[in-house]
Amino acid sequence: MIEHLQDPIILAQLLKENGKMIVEVPNANDALLTIFKNKSYQDFIYWSAHLYYFTPNTLRKLGEKAGLKVDFVKGIQRYPFSNNLYWLAFGKPAGEKEWKNFIDDALFQKNWESTLASLGATDTLIACFRAK
């Protein structure tokens, strides 16, 4: 939700001493934006409700600027390969619903996520921040 906040630094005020916070945000380096350069996805994702977009580096810097210890920042792929393929084929989401996951077996999905993570191009970032 921090991509919706005018001042995401306010997060630091929410943590008590020794408190931890897990943050999940869309990745500005998402493969649909950076590798595939999908115009339909760009139009879909860049809307006014998202005030900020984060990369692993900028999310880490946000935590540091807020005075928090950054335990980790990592990419995960929330949406399966069929969703990406559907964006590329039809310019809209929900491939996993339309195609009933017939493309997305567990091994393939694990390899897809691993490949995107190695490129820094997953759709989502997860970070753990800790009060100092």
Side-chain angles (χ1 to χ4, degrees):
M1 68 152 217
I2 66 170
E3 68 273 16
H4 301 280
L5 299 176
Q6 280 215 315
D7 183 11
I9 299 293
I10 199 167
L11 289 176
Q13 297 171 5
L14 300 175
L15 287 178
K16 295 180 181 177
E17 187 176 337
N18 297 318
K20 286 187 178 183
M21 177 182 298
I22 302 293
V23 174
E24 178 181 334
V25 296
N27 184 0
N29 291 334
D30 184 323
L32 285 168
L33 297 171
T34 59
I35 296 171
F36 301 120
K37 297 178 179 19
N38 186 270
K39 177 76 167 99
S40 297
Y41 186 71
Q42 290 171 8
D43 293 343
F44 177 80
I45 197 72
Y46 293 136
W47 59 295
S48 62
H50 287 174
L51 302 176
Y52 296 97
Y53 292 90
F54 296 96
T55 66
N57 186 47
T58 59
L59 188 56
R60 180 175 297 283
K61 287 195 180 299
L62 173 73
E64 292 168 353
K65 186 173 181 181
L68 301 173
K69 178 166 180 0
V70 181
D71 285 342
F72 66 82
V73 176
K74 74 177 218 169
I76 63 165
Q77 185 65 24
R78 291 184 58 228
Y79 293 97
F81 177 73
S82 60
N83 184 62
N84 284 299
L85 192 57
Y86 207 75
W87 272 109
L88 295 171
F90 300 108
K92 57 186 179 179
E96 69 279 9
K97 294 176 185 170
E98 292 294 323
W99 291 334
K100 308 290 186 232
N101 292 321
F102 77 91
I103 295 173
D104 303 316
D105 74 28
L107 180 58
F108 184 87
Q109 184 59 26
K110 182 177 179 179
N111 288 330
W112 175 242
E113 180 176 10
S114 176
T115 298
L116 291 177
S118 74
L119 299 170
T122 57
D123 58 26
T124 302
L125 297 173
I126 301 271
C128 181
F129 299 134
R130 189 165 24 111
K132 290 184 177 179

